[in-house]
């Protein structure tokens, strides 16, 4: 073979600093495990002042989903995980889409045959068997075919795959940054397919070739690939290439027994955003799914992306699987919602408020009631639906032991509140508040004894995101008095 091609490819490889890559397959959506891999890979590069690469691994055409690449770009952009090189921005080792590198893999597969690390296999196997590596190498008649016979079969146009030639004896040891040194018997490894009959590479071959040619120094992937790592090492050794740092991350689990899976209804990144979570909260929580900070930040939970860059260290990644806890995510999201400015919260909350509040109400005032009482944005419509229309409610809502109210007492309170509210010249929070407090004092009752029935009559709910004063102010004078009189009529009929 002409070695000039390979020398030219080697000359393009950048050296001298950390280079990482996120290499998703365009198979539909970005699940939580994918997002964590992208985040950790990005953090390793950014913490070291290195280069972060986006590569699209689309060689498995059978699983390709239209629009999936756009999902990847959109998710990365929304999360602030910017890439320095990739299909859309280019770079020194383009192309960054595997299907556009097809000829490259064929050349390297044939080079590996020349180096003795692979062989042509002409045996009839189904594609699924090829992909799974389900092949007994001891019985493989192609493994040690004379080169003349191989060439004759190639000249005759016989279909073939190219398989890795695993040593029959000895062991292979590889090092992982999380799991340490791992040694396996070569006899337990199969002669995996590297190049399929259609000329496309398998994942296990393509990612090794691409990682080398793109100068990748740290490879982050799931711990399910630990079993394949010895074969990757043997490929690197056969080519005479330096092995990158492996970082195998344990899986994200739905519970102690089951990995998260879209098949079982577990959420993707886009699902979580649609369910009312903020991107910043999701990223923060995902960062801590299998990683923990050290030193002065060991007890810290809330991290901005910039703070994660400063705090992130590979040694903080755990060997143990991480369990995805909705309650914990809700906590993180609530913290992030509370930390928004009033204006920023109103902006993200308004679309959800408008789902149930169509009337001409002060959105900022409604948002102010919600900010300290909301875990997810999708909680909002149900919390504020009473503004548009007073819901049908039960008279029992007027009974509250702590406020010392019952239907009879509540009727007296409303009978006193309505004329006082009608007499207010200006409908302000201060005037409503002061008027009700003064009225409670004149009636010689606790403030809550008056406020409870006013709030029930105004909202028709025992639990609301604001008190009687705020709700009455937002409803406006006419609507408040109309609702309180309706409450009086209900109580008078009991």
């Amino acid at each position: 073979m002409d070695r000039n091609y390979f020398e030219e490819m080697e000359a393009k490889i950048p050296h001298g600093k950390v280079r990482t890559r996120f290499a998703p397959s365009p198979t539909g959506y970005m699940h939580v495990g994918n997002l964590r891999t992208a985040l950790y890979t990005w953090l390793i590069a950014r913490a070291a002042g290195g280069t972060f690469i986006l590569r699209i691994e689309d060689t498995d055409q059978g699983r390709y989903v239209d629009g999936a690449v756009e999902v990847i770009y959109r998710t990365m952009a929304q999360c602030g995980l910017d890439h320095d090189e990739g299909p859309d921005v280019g770079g020194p080792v383009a192309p960054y889409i595997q299907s556009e590198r097809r000829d490259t893999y064929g050349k390297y597969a044939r080079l590996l045959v020349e180096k003795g690390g692979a062989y042509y296999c002409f045996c009839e196997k189904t594609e699924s068997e090829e992909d799974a590596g389900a092949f007994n190498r001891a019985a493989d008649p192609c493994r040690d075919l004379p080169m003349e016979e191989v060439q004759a079969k190639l000249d005759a146009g016989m279909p073939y795959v190219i398989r890795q030639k695993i040593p029959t004896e000895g062991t292979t040891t590889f090092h992982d940054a999380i799991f340490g040194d791992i040694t396996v018997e070569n006899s337990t490894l199969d002669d995996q397919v590297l190049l399929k009959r259609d000329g496309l590479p398998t994942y296990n071959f393509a990612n090794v070739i691409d990682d080398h040619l793109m100068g990748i120094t740290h490879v982050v992937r799931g711990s399910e690939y630990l079993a394949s790592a010895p074969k990757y090492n043997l490929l690197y050794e056969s080519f005479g290439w330096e092995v990158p740092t492996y970082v195998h991350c344990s899986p994200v689990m739905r519970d102690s027994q089951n990995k998260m899976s879209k098949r079982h209804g577990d959420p993707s990144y886009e699902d979580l955003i649609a369910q009312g979570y903020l991107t910043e909260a999701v990223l923060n929580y995902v960062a801590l799914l299998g990683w923990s900070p050290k030193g002065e930040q060991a007890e810290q939970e809330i991290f901005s992306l910039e703070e994660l860059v400063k705090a992130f260290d590979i040694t903080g990644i755990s060997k143990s699987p991480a369990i995805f806890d909705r309650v914990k995510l809700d906590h993180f999201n609530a913290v992030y919602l509370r930390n928004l400015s009033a204006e920023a919260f109103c902006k993200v909350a308004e679309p959800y408020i408008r789902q149930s509040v169509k009337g001409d109400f002060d959105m900022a005032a409604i948002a102010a009631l919600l900010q300290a009482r909301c875990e997810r944005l999708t909680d909002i419509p149900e919390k504020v639906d009473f503004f548009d229309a007073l819901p049908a409610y039960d008279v029992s809502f007027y009974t509250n032991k702590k406020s010392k109210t019952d239907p009879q007492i509540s009727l007296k309170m409303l009978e006193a509140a309505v004329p006082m509210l009608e007499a207010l010249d200006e409908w302000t929070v201060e005037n409503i508040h002061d008027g009700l407090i003064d009225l409670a004092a004149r009636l010689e009752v606790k403030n809550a004894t008056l406020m409870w029935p006013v709030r029930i009559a105004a909202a028709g709910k025992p639990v609301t995101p604001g008190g009687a004063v705020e709700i009455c102010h937002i409803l406006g004078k006419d609507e408040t008095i109309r609702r309180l009189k309706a409450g009086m009529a209900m109580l008078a009929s009991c």
Side-chain angles (χ1 to χ4, degrees):
M1 293 181 69
D2 180 6
R3 298 300 173 95
N4 288 333
Y5 171 81
F6 303 106
E7 292 172 3
E8 291 172 2
M9 295 296 283
E10 290 291 318
K12 295 179 182 178
I13 300 173
H15 297 283
K17 63 178 181 178
V18 167
R19 288 174 62 84
T20 68
R21 51 76 168 169
F22 177 52
S25 297
T27 55
Y29 66 99
M30 182 84 81
H31 62 67
V32 170
N34 282 150
L35 180 59
R36 187 186 66 171
T37 298
L39 176 60
Y40 286 3
T41 307
W42 184 88
L43 287 171
I44 291 169
R46 293 292 175 257
T51 299
F52 178 61
I53 298 165
L54 176 63
R55 185 172 79 218
I56 304 298
E57 297 197 339
D58 62 344
T59 55
D60 189 348
Q61 293 293 303
R63 297 178 62 217
Y64 183 88
V65 174
D66 286 338
V69 173
E70 286 69 29
V71 170
I72 293 167
Y73 284 133
R74 185 167 60 248
T75 300
M76 300 290 282
Q78 288 177 2
C79 293
L81 305 181
D82 57 315
H83 50 279
D84 305 298
E85 299 174 23
D88 55 335
V89 295
V93 288
Y96 295 89
I97 298 176
Q98 282 191 337
S99 60
E100 297 177 8
R101 302 170 64 83
R102 179 170 179 157
D103 291 345
T104 299
Y105 307 121
K107 289 181 173 68
Y108 277 91
R110 289 186 285 278
L111 175 64
L112 193 60
V113 172
E114 283 194 7
K115 288 178 171 287
Y119 62 94
Y120 292 94
C121 179
F122 302 92
C123 300
E124 290 290 338
K125 301 296 289 183
T126 66
E127 185 172 333
S128 62
E129 288 174 315
E130 289 176 2
D131 288 344
F135 196 86
N136 182 357
R137 71 175 177 217
D140 183 1
C142 300
R143 183 178 164 96
D144 296 310
L145 279 177
M147 200 58 219
E148 298 79 13
E149 191 172 340
V150 170
Q151 191 60 53
K153 291 178 180 290
L154 293 174
D155 292 343
M158 288 187 64
Y160 64 86
V161 300
I162 293 181
R163 291 184 178 276
Q164 185 174 3
K165 197 170 190 177
I166 302 289
T168 56
E169 298 178 350
T171 61
T172 295
T173 298
F174 68 95
H175 180 78
D176 179 77
I178 312 304
F179 291 87
D181 288 335
I182 299 176
T183 300
V184 299
E185 297 287 335
N186 289 334
S187 60
T188 65
L189 305 176
D190 63 283
D191 284 3
Q192 65 178 346
V193 172
L194 305 179
L195 201 70
K196 296 183 285 187
R197 289 171 182 260
D198 60 6
L200 283 173
T202 58
Y203 166 84
N204 288 325
F205 186 55
N207 83 83
V208 168
I209 301 301
D210 287 342
D211 286 345
H212 172 71
L213 295 181
M214 293 182 180
I216 303 303
T217 60
H218 295 70
V219 174
V220 182
R221 55 180 167 238
S223 58
E224 64 268 24
Y225 290 104
L226 278 170
S228 299
K231 292 182 281 190
Y232 301 151
N233 258 43
L234 289 169
L235 285 172
Y236 282 107
E237 291 170 5
S238 295
F239 280 116
W241 295 339
E242 182 178 352
V243 179
T245 298
Y246 295 143
V247 184
H248 286 89
C249 301
S250 292
V252 179
M253 310 288 285
R254 183 188 336 125
D255 51 44
S256 60
Q257 302 297 323
N258 300 287
K259 289 177 63 175
M260 290 188 72
S261 166
K262 185 73 170 178
R263 238 182 1 261
H264 293 105
D266 293 316
S268 67
Y269 163 78
E270 291 194 322
D271 290 335
L272 292 174
I273 301 308
Q275 290 165 12
Y277 296 99
L278 295 177
T279 292
E280 296 81 2
V282 172
L283 272 181
N284 192 155
Y285 179 63
V286 166
L288 299 175
L289 281 175
W291 172 81
S292 56
K294 296 184 175 182
E296 295 179 357
Q297 296 166 307
E299 301 302 318
Q300 184 173 334
E301 278 194 330
I302 303 303
F303 289 89
S304 66
L305 203 52
E306 293 75 19
E307 289 172 327
L308 281 172
V309 170
K310 295 177 182 177
F312 193 80
D313 190 300
I314 291 174
T315 60
I317 298 176
S318 173
K319 295 179 183 179
S320 303
I323 296 178
F324 184 83
D325 184 347
R326 281 280 191 166
V327 173
K328 190 72 171 176
L329 178 57
D330 286 347
H331 162 71
F332 272 81
N333 205 57
V335 170
Y336 272 86
L337 288 171
R338 285 166 179 67
N339 287 342
L340 290 174
S341 67
E343 294 76 16
F345 179 80
C346 184
K347 184 176 180 180
V348 297
E350 184 169 355
Y352 295 88
I353 297 172
R354 287 295 184 193
Q355 287 180 24
S356 60
V357 179
K358 311 298 183 184
D360 185 19
F361 294 104
D362 185 340
M363 290 294 108
I366 295 177
L369 301 184
L370 293 162
Q371 188 163 6
R373 301 172 177 88
C374 182
E375 289 189 332
R376 291 185 290 170
L377 294 169
T378 46
D379 296 339
I380 290 175
E382 185 179 3
K383 288 179 180 290
V384 297
D385 57 1
F386 63 86
F387 281 109
D388 252 21
L390 182 68
Y393 64 96
D394 195 276
V395 71
S396 63
F397 289 2
Y398 284 102
T399 299
N400 184 275
K401 290 183 180 180
K402 187 175 179 180
S403 299
K404 297 183 178 180
T405 63
D406 59 24
Q408 290 73 33
I409 292 172
S410 293
L411 177 58
K412 293 179 181 177
M413 296 299 104
L414 293 181
E415 287 173 340
V418 166
M420 183 278 294
L421 292 170
E422 286 178 324
L424 291 179
D425 291 330
E426 293 186 52
W427 194 254
T428 64
V429 169
E430 293 78 10
N431 285 351
I432 298 167
H433 173 271
D434 293 348
L436 289 172
I437 296 300
D438 180 66
L439 178 59
R442 286 190 281 112
L443 294 172
E444 297 182 341
V445 297
K446 291 171 55 178
N447 291 339
T449 304
L450 175 61
M451 296 291 191
W452 181 271
V454 169
R455 186 171 62 83
I456 295 298
K461 288 188 171 189
V463 178
T464 56
V469 173
E470 296 88 354
I471 291 171
C472 289
H473 178 250
I474 293 169
L475 285 172
K477 185 174 183 177
D478 292 344
E479 180 63 13
T480 295
I481 292 171
R482 186 188 72 78
R483 292 189 182 193
L484 265 58
K485 286 182 176 179
M488 290 166 55
M490 171 192 287
L491 292 166
S493 65
C494 291

